[in-house]
Amino acid sequence: MRAPTGNVAALPPQQTGTEVRPAPQPSAPGRPASDWWIWAMAGALFFAYMALSLRIHERLHSRSFDLGIFVQVVRSYASGQLPVSEVKGPDFPVLGDHFSPVLALLAPLYWLWPSVKVLLVAQAALVAGSVLPLAFWVRRTVGSAAAAVIGTCYGLAWGIASGVSSDFHEWAFALPLLTLSLTALGSGRLRAAAYWALPLLLVKEDLGLTVAVIGLLIAWRGGPGGRRTGLLTAAAGVVGSALALLVLSSFHPGGFDGYFLSHNPGDGAAGGAGGGVPELLHRFTLGLITPQEKVTTLLLVLAPTLFLALRSPLVLVALPSMLWRLASDYPDHWGTGYHYSLLLMPVVFVAFADALRLRGTRGRSLYRYLAGCAAVTLLLLPHFPLWQLVQPATWKDDPHVVAAHRVMDRIPDGATVQASTYLLPHLADRTSVSLFGWGDSRPDPEWIVVDTTVAPQLRWPQSAIQESMALDRARSQGYRIAAQQDGVLLLGHRS
């Protein structure tokens, strides 16, 4: 492969096997560096993430998709079974939906604390933990000031905030692995970069392509030994994704076709160019930047780094995640909400630090970049969920929430239940619960519990009229009202 040019050519030339080790650049020559503040920064972020996600859950804002699904998966692993989710359908095998065996690591925690909240706390710890390798590496290579600013801005980044506020997702496991792999790659520790990247194959099936890009970067940066390590890593990523997509789709109740249809939730809105090859061409050309929401998301991903991340080849690791989102026909993939930008944050912030390192940025120039990064991060902060932590409403006790829990407490442990989407996560750790109004839910449950006060724009999968009709139909089939308080309705066993 052709030797890298420009700033990349400044990589340290010393090699030992597949290891390329840059000369050390201590942040404070002649004085030992202290680590306590980096650990304190990560600890403060952990408590912020945990407080935010727990308060969202306690205020009945967490959802059946995805928190309800994931707690049922972890319950399955904790029981020594392959993962199933009643939310997806009766005994639905989750390995036919997504390949995320890494979730089995949460089973021991669930034994100690059998609660849905254990997933939210674990996610907060994983995301906050990803700050540590980033901050330590930046301190060694750029300096303590850069480590403090970049670590803090990464921890407060809008993509992180959107992710930790949006229930729980398996991608939380990817963040520490990505930062460990990319900082190792930036340091020239090529084997370590590969070793940290390969476990991403156990996080989710689409991360195999991310592993492949990391492998190609290892091959590009290394000598003959590095090329071999990189190409093997890239091959493992491609094969891992292929196996997950092609072989594990056999677990899906609908087989191969059912698997791919269930992962195409949109209606072709992004394509707009017919079907087949013309639609694919549109999606991967003009469709990548239309509608305008996609461009806005791209700009916001890079803005905290002042677009300097583009000066580092490490930013290429974000390409697989960004491309499938922009080419998707599902509008939620295009914007800044939910968890879809979570994986991009470690990539762009490590690339930002790597660009500063490659440029040899020091003194006033460095401080200007750091000040710009901090300014953009603070400017965006009030527009994303971490800002809820300073809002008084976040910490107020809502009488409606108290009423909802009183009604749900009437449901005995182990019962079969259908629940509306915002109540379901509160029952998923102690009952066999499915989603009320979802066509694939287990029929004839012992209990039905519905919050009829949800705002129209937040309702799913039924509108208020559809929900009312479904409740009338249940009553006509023999269900009786067992409890009703502040708009929360519980229907009991059929007579």
Side-chain angles (χ1 to χ4, degrees):
M1 302 183 76
R2 205 165 49 129
T5 59
N7 288 326
V8 181
L11 289 170
Q14 299 174 354
Q15 298 183 18
T16 305
T18 61
E19 303 292 324
V20 183
R21 300 186 180 276
Q25 297 176 346
S27 57
R31 192 169 55 182
S34 176
D35 295 340
W36 70 267
W37 62 269
I38 296 180
W39 289 96
M41 176 172 60
L45 290 168
F46 163 68
F47 282 107
Y49 302 153
M50 181 176 63
L52 176 64
S53 58
L54 289 178
R55 283 305 294 167
I56 288 173
H57 176 67
E58 290 162 358
R59 296 170 67 205
L60 302 183
H61 293 165
S62 55
R63 298 171 291 268
S64 56
F65 281 64
D66 291 308
L67 185 56
I69 293 172
F70 281 115
V71 71
Q72 290 178 338
V73 168
V74 174
R75 280 185 72 186
S76 299
Y77 280 125
S79 300
Q81 302 171 350
L82 288 176
V84 296
S85 174
E86 287 288 305
V87 178
K88 297 287 292 185
D91 298 319
F92 185 93
V94 177
L95 285 178
D97 186 43
H98 290 301
F99 182 58
S100 303
V102 71
L103 294 172
L105 295 177
L106 295 179
L109 296 178
Y110 194 84
W111 297 336
L112 298 173
W113 185 18
S115 168
V116 63
K117 294 179 181 179
V118 75
L119 277 70
L120 301 176
V121 174
Q123 176 172 260
L126 288 165
V127 176
S130 67
V131 175
L132 295 172
L134 172 62
F136 281 124
W137 177 64
V138 175
R139 191 194 64 183
R140 290 194 304 270
T141 57
V142 185
S144 293
V149 173
I150 294 175
T152 302
C153 290
Y154 165 72
L156 299 177
W158 65 265
I160 298 291
S162 294
V164 297
S165 69
S166 184
D167 298 340
F168 169 91
H169 293 91
E170 68 280 90
W171 279 351
F173 284 93
L175 266 66
L177 293 171
L178 271 174
T179 50
L180 284 163
S181 179
L182 294 177
T183 54
L185 184 53
S187 300
R189 297 180 293 113
L190 305 184
R191 283 182 178 169
Y195 294 154
W196 286 117
L198 288 173
L200 291 169
L201 296 173
L202 304 178
V203 176
K204 200 173 180 182
E205 66 278 1
D206 56 356
L207 289 178
L209 297 181
T210 300
V211 173
V213 175
I214 293 174
L216 293 177
L217 287 174
I218 292 172
W220 184 31
R221 287 196 161 190
R227 281 195 290 273
R228 182 174 181 274
T229 299
L231 293 176
L232 287 175
T233 302
V238 173
V239 171
S241 276
L243 288 176
L245 292 171
L246 300 178
V247 177
L248 290 174
S249 60
S250 63
F251 282 90
H252 195 283
F256 186 87
D257 292 337
Y259 173 86
F260 282 98
L261 286 174
S262 68
H263 289 80
N264 184 29
D267 58 2
V277 174
E279 181 180 358
L280 284 176
L281 288 174
H282 174 83
R283 288 190 186 182
F284 286 95
T285 52
L286 185 62
L288 293 176
I289 56 173
T290 56
Q292 185 179 349
E293 184 179 9
K294 297 180 181 181
V295 177
T296 301
T297 298
L298 274 173
L299 293 175
L300 288 177
V301 166
L302 294 167
T305 73
L306 307 182
F307 300 90
L308 195 64
L310 295 173
R311 300 291 296 272
S312 167
L314 297 182
V315 79
L316 295 172
V317 176
L319 272 181
S321 295
M322 204 69 241
L323 282 176
W324 74 254
R325 285 180 59 190
L326 298 180
S328 170
D329 61 359
Y330 185 44
D332 283 345
H333 289 158
W334 308 337
T336 57
Y338 302 106
H339 60 291
Y340 297 115
S341 297
L342 194 61
L343 289 179
L344 302 176
M345 297 297 105
V347 179
V348 295
F349 276 92
V350 173
F352 176 46
D354 190 49
L356 293 174
R357 179 186 70 86
L358 291 173
R359 291 164 56 92
T361 311
R362 290 290 185 271
R364 291 183 179 179
S365 178
L366 174 63
Y367 293 138
R368 282 196 296 268
Y369 281 119
L370 297 180
C373 179
V376 174
T377 301
L378 292 175
L379 183 66
L380 294 174
L381 189 60
H383 303 283
F384 290 92
L386 279 174
W387 194 249
Q388 294 179 28
L389 291 173
V390 298
Q391 301 301 307
T394 303
W395 306 101
K396 289 181 179 178
D397 293 329
D398 188 340
H400 177 73
V401 172
V402 176
H405 281 287
R406 284 176 181 167
V407 172
M408 288 189 287
D409 287 343
R410 299 281 298 272
I411 302 173
D413 293 352
T416 58
V417 187
Q418 283 189 13
S420 55
T421 189
Y422 292 101
L423 299 180
L424 190 152
H426 297 267
L427 296 164
D429 53 10
R430 65 180 187 88
T431 68
S432 177
V433 62
S434 53
L435 180 61
F436 182 69
W438 181 251
D440 293 329
S441 289
R442 186 180 292 278
D444 302 321
E446 297 173 282
W447 302 88
I448 296 173
V449 61
V450 176
D451 185 352
T452 64
T453 68
V454 177
Q457 69 272 19
L458 298 177
R459 286 184 170 273
W460 185 83
Q462 295 180 311
S463 67
I465 294 176
Q466 291 171 327
E467 180 182 270
S468 178
M469 293 173 62
L471 289 171
D472 289 342
R473 187 162 52 249
R475 284 193 288 266
S476 71
Q477 292 171 350
Y479 284 89
R480 60 179 176 80
I481 297 177
Q484 188 172 11
Q485 188 174 352
D486 201 18
V488 181
L489 177 65
L490 176 65
L491 301 181
H493 308 270
R494 291 192 295 177
S495 57

